[in-house]
Amino acid sequence: MDTAFFTAWITRAAAAIETDRVRLSELDAAIGDGDHGTNLDRGFAGVMRVLDTTSPRTPATVLSLTGTTLISKVGGASGPLYGTAFRRAGNALGDAAETDLPGLAAALDAALAAIRKLGAARDGDKTMVDALAPAVAALNEAASNGTPLLDALSAMVDAARAGAEATIPMQASKGRASYLGPRSVGHRDPGAASTVLILTALRDTAAAAGSDVGSNGSGSD
């Protein structure tokens, strides 16, 4: 997975956020400010403008530019959380021209750790962590078992979707949703929902790359 692959991932994620921005904001309206989809769409639109006018040298550069732009363009909690996560993931990749599945898993580990630290969020708090944590665990398990890249990413997405679904019966303990107390029960967390979109875009990028990406995640795409 090289720079072109990571650029394609962010491009696909931006398109998914744009397509689903109304649903994301509706989810947020039930337990928050109602602007999660709008804010993320604005942020990723800004990311695309940056990527279109620069020539990132490495996968890390793509993720760092993404993170920095989200921090500057997205209001509320999601900008700093997603922005810091992408930047930490980029830092974990270092200066390598491409990465493999274990390297990707390590980068997402770093992203999860950043979100947990910045948001002081734990599993079960009804946040994006509830989708990202099981997704990262599934990816790490797949990487340790030598699972082919696309199968590993599919397992990651399945775990993220299950985690997002599991937020529905939870009572929120963090963010504006926590002010609702028991009234936050019965609603899917919007951050968990957008996490699923971003991770699905990663899986779909690998699927589109097809045979150009090998079982260890390396290749020309």
Side-chain angles (χ1 to χ4, degrees):
M1 292 173 282
D2 61 7
T3 303
F5 179 95
F6 279 82
T7 301
W9 169 28
I10 299 303
T11 300
R12 194 178 292 270
I17 294 293
E18 180 182 21
T19 298
D20 229 14
R21 66 185 184 277
V22 172
R23 182 182 73 95
L24 292 175
S25 289
E26 288 174 347
L27 290 174
D28 193 31
I31 57 175
D33 292 332
D35 57 4
H36 184 63
T38 302
N39 281 343
L40 269 189
D41 183 37
R42 181 174 63 251
F44 273 96
V47 170
M48 293 314 303
R49 286 192 293 272
V50 170
L51 293 179
D52 286 344
T53 55
T54 59
S55 299
R57 297 182 305 104
T58 63
T61 308
V62 174
L63 297 187
S64 295
L65 287 172
T66 298
T68 298
T69 306
L70 290 178
I71 289 172
S72 67
K73 297 291 186 182
V74 181
S78 57
L81 288 170
Y82 273 126
T84 301
F86 277 111
R87 290 175 66 172
R88 294 292 174 81
N91 289 342
L93 292 176
D95 293 328
E98 60 181 37
T99 192
D100 55 9
L101 178 55
L104 177 63
L108 293 185
D109 258 330
L112 174 60
I115 289 174
R116 280 180 163 150
K117 181 176 181 180
L118 184 61
R122 300 171 300 179
D123 298 29
D125 281 343
K126 198 182 181 91
T127 71
M128 64 177 68
V129 167
D130 291 303
L132 185 57
V136 171
L139 191 64
N140 274 302
E141 180 179 3
S144 66
N145 291 335
T147 304
L149 177 66
L150 187 54
D151 291 341
L153 294 178
S154 294
M156 175 193 71
V157 170
D158 288 345
R161 288 175 175 165
E165 184 75 13
T167 66
I168 295 174
M170 292 178 183
Q171 180 172 322
S173 301
K174 296 292 179 182
R176 183 171 292 275
S178 65
Y179 302 157
L180 298 177
R183 288 182 294 156
S184 65
V185 173
H187 302 282
R188 187 188 308 271
D189 178 72
S194 58
T195 296
V196 172
L197 291 178
I198 292 168
L199 295 180
T200 300
L202 175 55
R203 191 274 313 277
D204 291 349
T205 300
S211 59
D212 287 338
V213 180
S215 62
N216 66 351
S218 63
S220 60
D221 236 353

